Amino acid sequence: MIGNKFRAWNVESKQMLNHEFIVKTILSERDYGEIIRDFSDVLDGYPFHIMQSIGEFDRNNCELFDDDLVKLTLPDGEVRIFRIRIKTLDREVRNHPEFVGEYSKVRITAVVFEWRGFDLFPCIDDKGISDVSKMEWVGTFWENPELLEVSE
C-alpha cells in the first residue's frame, strides 16, 4: 500500500526536505487525495522532485520512498540496484473463464522497481517473504544517480 508521507529533493539547494515542509509549503493548497496518483501538476513553479512513501521498509527498517535506490543480493551472489518508482502502467490480464473475452486491458498504479529498462513488481518467495524486506536502502536517485550506472 502506498503511504501518505512525502519528502522532496530541492533541485536548487540539493537538499532533502521533510514531510512537514512539503505538506505546509507545497501541498497546502492541494487535496491530499488528489496528489497521491500524480505529482506532475504540483511541481509547477517549485524546483522540487517530490517523493512519496511506498508504505514499505527495507531489511534495516528504513522507510522507502519513490526515487529511492535499493540493493538486492540474489541467492547466487549477484547484486542489483533498483530505482523505486510509483507508476501507472497498462497491462493485459487473463480473464476468468466465465468472463467475455480471454484477456482484458487494465491500468494499474503501483510500486515498481526499475532495473535495466524493466518495471518489475515486488515478489514474494516460496516462504512468503517479500523481496522488499530483503532489500537495503543505498540512497536516492537525486543524490546518487551514479549507483544505477554501477548496477548496469
Side-chain angles (χ1 to χ4, degrees):
M1 177 198 281
I2 299 172
N4 286 331
K5 284 179 68 178
F6 303 91
R7 66 181 183 202
W9 175 250
N10 185 316
V11 175
E12 293 174 352
S13 70
K14 298 198 182 312
Q15 293 181 315
M16 193 65 70
L17 306 170
N18 67 22
H19 177 74
E20 289 75 22
F21 174 86
I22 296 161
V23 171
K24 288 177 186 171
T25 308
I26 301 172
L27 306 178
S28 61
E29 297 177 15
R30 304 280 183 194
D31 175 359
Y32 218 60
E34 280 181 19
I35 57 148
I36 289 175
R37 293 210 169 105
D38 185 1
F39 293 117
S40 60
D41 64 325
V42 178
L43 297 176
D44 291 340
Y46 296 100
F48 300 114
H49 293 286
I50 298 178
M51 295 160 265
Q52 183 174 4
S53 168
I54 67 165
E56 296 275 346
F57 295 82
D58 78 349
R59 70 181 193 182
N60 298 316
N61 206 32
C62 176
E63 186 170 14
L64 299 173
F65 287 77
D66 184 39
D67 278 330
D68 276 348
L69 301 177
V70 290
K71 174 176 74 171
L72 178 65
T73 303
L74 302 177
D76 66 2
E78 180 185 351
V79 175
R80 294 183 181 173
I81 305 289
F82 299 91
R83 180 179 178 185
I84 299 173
R85 299 306 314 265
I86 299 172
K87 287 186 172 182
T88 299
L89 306 167
D90 292 323
R91 291 288 191 256
E92 195 170 87
V93 295
R94 187 179 193 138
N95 288 333
H96 185 275
E98 294 178 12
F99 290 5
V100 175
E102 190 174 354
Y103 293 92
S104 291
K105 291 183 180 184
V106 296
R107 179 162 285 163
I108 303 168
T109 299
V111 172
V112 296
F113 294 86
E114 290 181 344
W115 181 71
R116 295 188 176 176
F118 294 97
D119 291 324
L120 308 171
F121 289 106
C123 296
I124 296 175
D125 69 16
D126 57 355
K127 296 177 184 160
I129 300 172
S130 167
D131 285 347
V132 179
S133 68
K134 299 175 187 177
M135 294 177 175
E136 182 178 1
W137 182 88
V138 293
T140 72
F141 173 77
W142 303 107
E143 295 169 297
N144 310 97
E146 73 281 356
L147 291 177
L148 284 179
E149 295 167 12
V150 171
S151 183
E152 303 295 321

